[in-house]
Short mmCIF file of all heavy atoms in Angstrom, two decimals:
data_model
loop_
_atom_site.label_atom_id
_atom_site.label_comp_id
_atom_site.label_asym_id
_atom_site.label_seq_id
_atom_site.Cartn_x
_atom_site.Cartn_y
_atom_site.Cartn_z
N TYR A 1007 22.53 63.09 166.04
CA TYR A 1007 23.86 62.57 165.72
C TYR A 1007 24.32 63.26 164.44
O TYR A 1007 23.51 63.88 163.74
CB TYR A 1007 23.83 61.05 165.52
CG TYR A 1007 22.89 60.57 164.45
CD1 TYR A 1007 23.32 60.37 163.14
CD2 TYR A 1007 21.55 60.32 164.74
CE1 TYR A 1007 22.45 59.95 162.16
CE2 TYR A 1007 20.67 59.90 163.76
CZ TYR A 1007 21.12 59.72 162.47
OH TYR A 1007 20.25 59.31 161.49
N THR A 1008 25.61 63.16 164.17
CA THR A 1008 26.13 63.81 162.97
C THR A 1008 26.86 62.78 162.09
O THR A 1008 27.24 61.71 162.58
CB THR A 1008 27.13 64.92 163.33
OG1 THR A 1008 28.19 64.35 164.10
CG2 THR A 1008 26.46 66.02 164.15
N THR A 1009 27.03 63.12 160.83
CA THR A 1009 27.77 62.24 159.91
C THR A 1009 28.79 63.10 159.14
O THR A 1009 28.65 63.32 157.94
CB THR A 1009 26.81 61.54 158.91
OG1 THR A 1009 26.10 62.55 158.16
CG2 THR A 1009 25.81 60.66 159.63
N PRO A 1010 29.81 63.57 159.85
CA PRO A 1010 30.75 64.51 159.22
C PRO A 1010 31.45 63.96 157.99
O PRO A 1010 31.70 64.70 157.04
CB PRO A 1010 31.76 64.81 160.34
CG PRO A 1010 31.56 63.74 161.36
CD PRO A 1010 30.14 63.31 161.26
N ASN A 1011 31.74 62.66 157.98
CA ASN A 1011 32.46 62.10 156.83
C ASN A 1011 31.58 61.97 155.59
O ASN A 1011 32.01 62.26 154.47
CB ASN A 1011 33.08 60.75 157.20
CG ASN A 1011 34.20 60.91 158.20
OD1 ASN A 1011 35.21 61.53 157.91
ND2 ASN A 1011 34.00 60.41 159.42
N ILE A 1012 30.34 61.54 155.81
CA ILE A 1012 29.42 61.43 154.66
C ILE A 1012 29.07 62.84 154.16
O ILE A 1012 28.99 63.08 152.95
CB ILE A 1012 28.15 60.63 155.04
CG1 ILE A 1012 28.54 59.21 155.47
CG2 ILE A 1012 27.18 60.59 153.88
CD1 ILE A 1012 27.44 58.44 156.18
N ASP A 1013 28.90 63.78 155.09
CA ASP A 1013 28.60 65.16 154.68
C ASP A 1013 29.75 65.75 153.87
O ASP A 1013 29.54 66.44 152.87
CB ASP A 1013 28.35 66.04 155.91
CG ASP A 1013 27.10 65.61 156.69
OD1 ASP A 1013 26.41 64.69 156.22
OD2 ASP A 1013 26.84 66.20 157.76
N LYS A 1014 30.99 65.45 154.31
CA LYS A 1014 32.16 65.95 153.59
C LYS A 1014 32.22 65.30 152.20
O LYS A 1014 32.55 65.96 151.21
CB LYS A 1014 33.43 65.63 154.39
CG LYS A 1014 34.70 66.14 153.78
CD LYS A 1014 35.82 66.20 154.83
CE LYS A 1014 37.10 66.73 154.23
NZ LYS A 1014 38.07 65.68 153.91
N MET A 1015 31.88 64.02 152.17
CA MET A 1015 31.85 63.32 150.89
C MET A 1015 30.86 64.01 149.95
O MET A 1015 31.11 64.16 148.75
CB MET A 1015 31.43 61.87 151.16
CG MET A 1015 31.63 60.92 150.02
SD MET A 1015 31.04 59.26 150.45
CE MET A 1015 30.67 58.68 148.78
N ALA A 1016 29.73 64.48 150.52
CA ALA A 1016 28.72 65.19 149.71
C ALA A 1016 29.26 66.53 149.23
O ALA A 1016 29.01 66.93 148.09
CB ALA A 1016 27.44 65.38 150.51
N SER A 1017 30.03 67.22 150.09
CA SER A 1017 30.54 68.53 149.67
C SER A 1017 31.67 68.37 148.65
O SER A 1017 31.91 69.25 147.84
CB SER A 1017 30.99 69.35 150.88
OG SER A 1017 32.16 68.78 151.43
N GLU A 1018 32.33 67.22 148.67
CA GLU A 1018 33.39 66.97 147.68
C GLU A 1018 32.86 66.23 146.46
O GLU A 1018 33.61 65.98 145.51
CB GLU A 1018 34.51 66.12 148.32
CG GLU A 1018 35.25 66.87 149.42
CD GLU A 1018 36.20 65.98 150.22
OE1 GLU A 1018 36.16 64.74 150.06
OE2 GLU A 1018 36.98 66.53 151.00
N GLY A 1019 31.60 65.84 146.52
CA GLY A 1019 31.00 65.09 145.41
C GLY A 1019 29.58 65.55 145.16
O GLY A 1019 29.23 66.69 145.46
N THR A 1020 28.76 64.65 144.64
CA THR A 1020 27.38 65.01 144.32
C THR A 1020 26.42 64.17 145.17
O THR A 1020 26.62 62.98 145.35
CB THR A 1020 27.10 64.80 142.82
OG1 THR A 1020 27.95 65.68 142.08
CG2 THR A 1020 25.65 65.09 142.48
N ARG A 1021 25.40 64.86 145.68
CA ARG A 1021 24.35 64.17 146.44
C ARG A 1021 23.15 64.01 145.51
O ARG A 1021 22.71 64.96 144.87
CB ARG A 1021 23.98 65.03 147.65
CG ARG A 1021 22.90 64.47 148.53
CD ARG A 1021 22.95 65.13 149.90
NE ARG A 1021 22.75 66.57 149.84
CZ ARG A 1021 21.56 67.17 149.97
NH1 ARG A 1021 20.48 66.45 150.15
NH2 ARG A 1021 21.47 68.49 149.91
N PHE A 1022 22.66 62.78 145.44
CA PHE A 1022 21.52 62.47 144.58
C PHE A 1022 20.27 62.35 145.44
O PHE A 1022 20.14 61.41 146.22
CB PHE A 1022 21.79 61.20 143.78
CG PHE A 1022 22.91 61.38 142.79
CD1 PHE A 1022 24.23 61.10 143.15
CD2 PHE A 1022 22.68 61.89 141.52
CE1 PHE A 1022 25.28 61.30 142.26
CE2 PHE A 1022 23.73 62.10 140.62
CZ PHE A 1022 25.02 61.80 140.99
N THR A 1023 19.37 63.31 145.30
CA THR A 1023 18.18 63.33 146.17
C THR A 1023 17.11 62.36 145.71
O THR A 1023 16.21 62.04 146.47
CB THR A 1023 17.55 64.74 146.21
OG1 THR A 1023 17.16 65.08 144.86
CG2 THR A 1023 18.53 65.77 146.75
N ASP A 1024 17.19 61.92 144.45
CA ASP A 1024 16.16 61.03 143.92
C ASP A 1024 16.81 59.72 143.47
O ASP A 1024 16.68 59.29 142.32
CB ASP A 1024 15.40 61.69 142.77
CG ASP A 1024 14.54 62.84 143.26
OD1 ASP A 1024 15.05 63.68 144.04
OD2 ASP A 1024 13.37 62.92 142.86
N PHE A 1025 17.55 59.14 144.41
CA PHE A 1025 18.23 57.88 144.14
C PHE A 1025 17.37 56.74 144.69
O PHE A 1025 16.96 56.76 145.84
CB PHE A 1025 19.61 57.87 144.82
CG PHE A 1025 20.42 56.63 144.53
CD1 PHE A 1025 21.20 56.53 143.39
CD2 PHE A 1025 20.40 55.55 145.41
CE1 PHE A 1025 21.96 55.39 143.13
CE2 PHE A 1025 21.15 54.40 145.16
CZ PHE A 1025 21.93 54.33 144.01
N TYR A 1026 17.11 55.75 143.86
CA TYR A 1026 16.19 54.67 144.22
C TYR A 1026 16.87 53.32 144.29
O TYR A 1026 17.78 53.03 143.49
CB TYR A 1026 15.07 54.56 143.18
CG TYR A 1026 14.09 55.69 143.24
CD1 TYR A 1026 14.23 56.80 142.41
CD2 TYR A 1026 13.01 55.67 144.13
CE1 TYR A 1026 13.33 57.85 142.46
CE2 TYR A 1026 12.11 56.71 144.18
CZ TYR A 1026 12.28 57.80 143.35
OH TYR A 1026 11.38 58.83 143.42
N VAL A 1027 16.41 52.50 145.22
CA VAL A 1027 16.70 51.08 145.14
C VAL A 1027 15.56 50.46 144.34
O VAL A 1027 14.49 51.05 144.22
CB VAL A 1027 16.82 50.45 146.55
CG1 VAL A 1027 18.01 51.04 147.28
CG2 VAL A 1027 15.55 50.64 147.37
N ALA A 1028 15.79 49.27 143.79
CA ALA A 1028 14.77 48.68 142.92
C ALA A 1028 13.65 48.02 143.71
O ALA A 1028 12.57 47.78 143.18
CB ALA A 1028 15.42 47.67 141.98
N SER A 1029 13.91 47.73 145.00
CA SER A 1029 12.90 47.08 145.82
C SER A 1029 13.20 47.41 147.28
O SER A 1029 14.36 47.54 147.66
CB SER A 1029 12.92 45.56 145.60
OG SER A 1029 11.88 44.95 146.33
N ALA A 1030 12.14 47.53 148.09
CA ALA A 1030 12.30 48.04 149.46
C ALA A 1030 12.67 46.96 150.46
O ALA A 1030 12.30 47.03 151.64
CB ALA A 1030 11.01 48.73 149.90
N VAL A 1031 13.39 45.95 150.03
CA VAL A 1031 13.77 44.87 150.93
C VAL A 1031 15.13 44.29 150.49
O VAL A 1031 15.50 44.34 149.32
CB VAL A 1031 12.66 43.79 150.98
CG1 VAL A 1031 12.44 43.17 149.61
CG2 VAL A 1031 12.95 42.72 152.02
N CYS A 1032 15.85 43.77 151.52
CA CYS A 1032 17.28 43.44 151.38
C CYS A 1032 17.72 42.66 150.15
O CYS A 1032 18.50 43.16 149.35
CB CYS A 1032 17.74 42.68 152.61
SG CYS A 1032 17.94 43.75 154.02
N SER A 1033 17.31 41.40 150.04
CA SER A 1033 17.88 40.55 148.98
C SER A 1033 17.51 41.07 147.59
O SER A 1033 18.36 41.13 146.69
CB SER A 1033 17.41 39.10 149.12
OG SER A 1033 17.90 38.55 150.32
N ALA A 1034 16.26 41.46 147.43
CA ALA A 1034 15.82 41.97 146.13
C ALA A 1034 16.62 43.22 145.77
O ALA A 1034 17.07 43.39 144.63
CB ALA A 1034 14.33 42.27 146.16
N SER A 1035 16.82 44.10 146.74
CA SER A 1035 17.57 45.33 146.52
C SER A 1035 19.01 45.02 146.12
O SER A 1035 19.58 45.64 145.21
CB SER A 1035 17.53 46.17 147.80
OG SER A 1035 18.44 47.24 147.73
N ARG A 1036 19.62 44.07 146.82
CA ARG A 1036 21.03 43.75 146.56
C ARG A 1036 21.20 43.02 145.23
O ARG A 1036 22.22 43.18 144.54
CB ARG A 1036 21.59 42.92 147.72
CG ARG A 1036 21.85 43.79 148.93
CD ARG A 1036 21.75 43.03 150.25
NE ARG A 1036 21.41 43.97 151.31
CZ ARG A 1036 22.29 44.60 152.09
NH1 ARG A 1036 23.56 44.36 151.95
NH2 ARG A 1036 21.89 45.45 152.99
N ALA A 1037 20.21 42.20 144.87
CA ALA A 1037 20.27 41.52 143.57
C ALA A 1037 20.30 42.56 142.45
O ALA A 1037 21.06 42.45 141.49
CB ALA A 1037 19.08 40.58 143.41
N ALA A 1038 19.48 43.60 142.60
CA ALA A 1038 19.40 44.65 141.58
C ALA A 1038 20.72 45.42 141.50
O ALA A 1038 21.23 45.70 140.42
CB ALA A 1038 18.24 45.59 141.89
N LEU A 1039 21.27 45.76 142.67
CA LEU A 1039 22.55 46.48 142.70
C LEU A 1039 23.64 45.67 142.00
O LEU A 1039 24.39 46.17 141.17
CB LEU A 1039 22.96 46.75 144.15
CG LEU A 1039 24.38 47.29 144.35
CD1 LEU A 1039 24.47 48.75 143.94
CD2 LEU A 1039 24.83 47.13 145.80
N MET A 1040 23.72 44.37 142.35
CA MET A 1040 24.81 43.54 141.86
C MET A 1040 24.70 43.21 140.38
O MET A 1040 25.70 43.04 139.70
CB MET A 1040 24.87 42.23 142.66
CG MET A 1040 25.60 42.35 143.98
SD MET A 1040 27.36 42.70 143.78
CE MET A 1040 27.46 44.34 144.44
N THR A 1041 23.45 43.10 139.85
CA THR A 1041 23.28 42.61 138.47
C THR A 1041 22.80 43.65 137.48
O THR A 1041 22.79 43.38 136.27
CB THR A 1041 22.26 41.44 138.43
OG1 THR A 1041 20.96 41.97 138.82
CG2 THR A 1041 22.65 40.31 139.36
N GLY A 1042 22.34 44.80 137.95
CA GLY A 1042 21.77 45.79 137.03
C GLY A 1042 20.41 45.39 136.50
O GLY A 1042 19.94 45.90 135.48
N CYS A 1043 19.76 44.45 137.19
CA CYS A 1043 18.45 43.94 136.75
C CYS A 1043 17.37 44.21 137.80
O CYS A 1043 17.66 44.21 139.00
CB CYS A 1043 18.49 42.43 136.55
SG CYS A 1043 19.57 41.90 135.22
N TYR A 1044 16.13 44.40 137.35
CA TYR A 1044 15.02 44.38 138.29
C TYR A 1044 14.98 43.00 138.94
O TYR A 1044 15.23 41.98 138.26
CB TYR A 1044 13.70 44.65 137.58
CG TYR A 1044 13.54 46.09 137.15
CD1 TYR A 1044 13.29 46.42 135.81
CD2 TYR A 1044 13.62 47.14 138.07
CE1 TYR A 1044 13.12 47.74 135.41
CE2 TYR A 1044 13.46 48.46 137.68
CZ TYR A 1044 13.21 48.76 136.36
OH TYR A 1044 13.06 50.06 135.97
N PRO A 1045 14.66 42.95 140.24
CA PRO A 1045 14.73 41.64 140.93
C PRO A 1045 13.97 40.50 140.25
O PRO A 1045 14.51 39.38 140.18
CB PRO A 1045 14.16 41.96 142.32
CG PRO A 1045 14.45 43.42 142.51
CD PRO A 1045 14.34 44.05 141.16
N PRO A 1046 12.76 40.72 139.69
CA PRO A 1046 12.08 39.56 139.08
C PRO A 1046 12.83 39.00 137.88
O PRO A 1046 12.70 37.82 137.56
CB PRO A 1046 10.72 40.13 138.64
CG PRO A 1046 10.55 41.41 139.36
CD PRO A 1046 11.93 41.95 139.64
N ARG A 1047 13.62 39.84 137.23
CA ARG A 1047 14.36 39.33 136.06
C ARG A 1047 15.35 38.25 136.47
O ARG A 1047 15.59 37.29 135.75
CB ARG A 1047 15.09 40.47 135.34
CG ARG A 1047 15.70 40.03 134.02
CD ARG A 1047 16.37 41.14 133.23
NE ARG A 1047 15.48 42.17 132.75
CZ ARG A 1047 14.68 42.08 131.68
NH1 ARG A 1047 14.65 40.95 130.98
NH2 ARG A 1047 13.91 43.08 131.32
N VAL A 1048 15.92 38.41 137.68
CA VAL A 1048 16.91 37.42 138.14
C VAL A 1048 16.34 36.49 139.22
O VAL A 1048 17.07 35.73 139.86
CB VAL A 1048 18.20 38.10 138.65
CG1 VAL A 1048 18.92 38.79 137.49
CG2 VAL A 1048 17.93 39.11 139.76
N GLY A 1049 15.01 36.56 139.40
CA GLY A 1049 14.33 35.58 140.26
C GLY A 1049 14.57 35.74 141.75
O GLY A 1049 14.40 34.78 142.51
N ILE A 1050 14.95 36.95 142.19
CA ILE A 1050 15.18 37.15 143.63
C ILE A 1050 14.09 38.04 144.20
O ILE A 1050 13.83 39.14 143.68
CB ILE A 1050 16.57 37.80 143.89
CG1 ILE A 1050 17.70 36.93 143.35
CG2 ILE A 1050 16.75 38.10 145.38
CD1 ILE A 1050 17.98 35.65 144.13
N LYS A 1051 13.43 37.58 145.26
CA LYS A 1051 12.44 38.42 145.91
C LYS A 1051 12.62 38.38 147.42
O LYS A 1051 13.17 37.42 147.96
CB LYS A 1051 11.02 38.01 145.51
CG LYS A 1051 10.71 36.56 145.75
CD LYS A 1051 9.37 36.19 145.13
CE LYS A 1051 9.17 34.69 145.19
NZ LYS A 1051 8.01 34.24 144.40
N GLY A 1052 12.13 39.44 148.06
CA GLY A 1052 12.13 39.49 149.53
C GLY A 1052 13.51 39.45 150.15
O GLY A 1052 14.48 39.94 149.59
N ALA A 1053 13.56 38.88 151.36
CA ALA A 1053 14.81 38.73 152.10
C ALA A 1053 15.05 37.25 152.30
O ALA A 1053 14.27 36.57 152.96
CB ALA A 1053 14.70 39.44 153.45
#
Side-chain angles (χ1 to χ4, degrees):
Y1007 58 93
T1008 58
T1009 59
N1011 291 296
I1012 299 165
D1013 295 356
K1014 182 161 181 258
M1015 193 182 154
S1017 70
E1018 294 171 350
T1020 297
R1021 179 161 60 93
F1022 294 90
T1023 60
D1024 291 47
F1025 183 85
Y1026 289 95
V1027 295
S1029 184
V1031 62
C1032 285
S1033 295
S1035 169
R1036 285 152 206 268
L1039 170 74
M1040 278 294 113
T1041 65
C1043 294
Y1044 287 124
R1047 188 177 295 282
V1048 293
I1050 300 288
K1051 55 189 171 190

